[in-house]
Amino acid sequence: MTGDNAGVPLAEQLRPTSLAEVVGHKSLLADGQLLQQIIAGNQLVSLILWGPPGSGKTTLARLVANQAAADFIEISAVTSGLPEVKNIIKRAEANQRLRMPTVLFVDEIHRFNKAQQDAFLPHVESGLLTLIGATTENPSFEVITPLLSRSRVLVLEALTKADILAILQRAIKRLKVSKQLDKQGLDYLAELAAGDARVALGNLELALNMAGGSKLTIELVKNAAQRKLPGYDKNGDQHYQQISAFIKSLRASDADASLYYLARILGGGEDPKFVARRMVVFASEDVGLAASAALNLAVSTFLAVERLGMPECQYNLYHCALVLAKTAKSRSVTSAMNKAQAAAEQFAEEPVPLHLRNATSQLDKDRGYGKNYQWKDGFKHPAGNLPEALKDLKIFED
């Protein structure tokens, strides 16, 4: 690139500066949807943007800040620590005196430890700064609960191939290189990006530089990217399809298919902790009371994966997968949980029966708290244990 943009990566040059330029994420940005309302209404709300690389997390954070005329401070959790956070707080206090809002964008927020995340809490709660965190990891596991409770979690899906093609077409129009296009090469660039706009634009830029004005063919793109078309995309359709196939193979007690999909998933570079977490869920959701010890094995597998890492932890993952596939299955826990949650939602205001309440004063006793209750094993009160409105409720079927 030349002129004022010399040395600036193409992905940065093409970063959207308005909602109209954003590609994808219709479920968040369509009229009336949450993020569209936040940006259009100049509302500063602390957010956790969870999505794959190159899906537009940084861009959306900047749009939120720009629309609200806020001071946008961008840091990476990989390179920043508590001293820098303290300096940011001072800057936010200065902005507050000038009546200027402050938006702190933390890329890869999941890499901050608990103490670093705790440092934000009082300032987010007081409104001194608005925090926007970006993460490729499930925030439920990686972001502390108090911070999650003060933020809205927005899930960004990987960009589709059509989205990537639209972004590449925009780049080609800007660079005025349409005559160099080979449709097959452009299509391959979109496939190769696997939903990551930054990868797509980086590969395009490198391929154009290598082409030097000649036709941009699929062979030239392959040479520029120096990587094969991935058979597994950790963040796109392949990710969800293969994980789904793995779980359904376990459910079907098909050991061969379970191990095949596990091999593809791990070979594609999936985080082994993600696989282990899914097996912990499966042990209760699908095996349940048929083999309660399976939960112990699944949890032990997760701990082993955390402590060993790849490649050694593969033994533990394959071990656990084989056991889960071959053992008996029962959905009784899942069924009981769903019934209990439905009842709790429908009868959320039912008072606890008096005889089940602890009598901590004479007044409580006079009101009937703990009446006729006996402290002995297996005691069943004549009035039962459920509120009157639910006395005939049956949740768990033996």
Side-chain angles (χ1 to χ4, degrees), residues 94 134 251 375:
R251 188 173 293 140
W375 291 86

Side-chain angles (χ1 to χ4, degrees), residues 238-260:
Q238 287 290 326
H239 164 83
Y240 296 107
Q241 290 170 5
Q242 292 187 33
I243 287 294
S244 175
F246 172 60
I247 295 299
K248 288 173 181 173
S249 297
L250 291 177
R251 188 173 293 140
S253 298
D254 189 335
D256 295 330
S258 300
L259 298 186
Y260 165 73

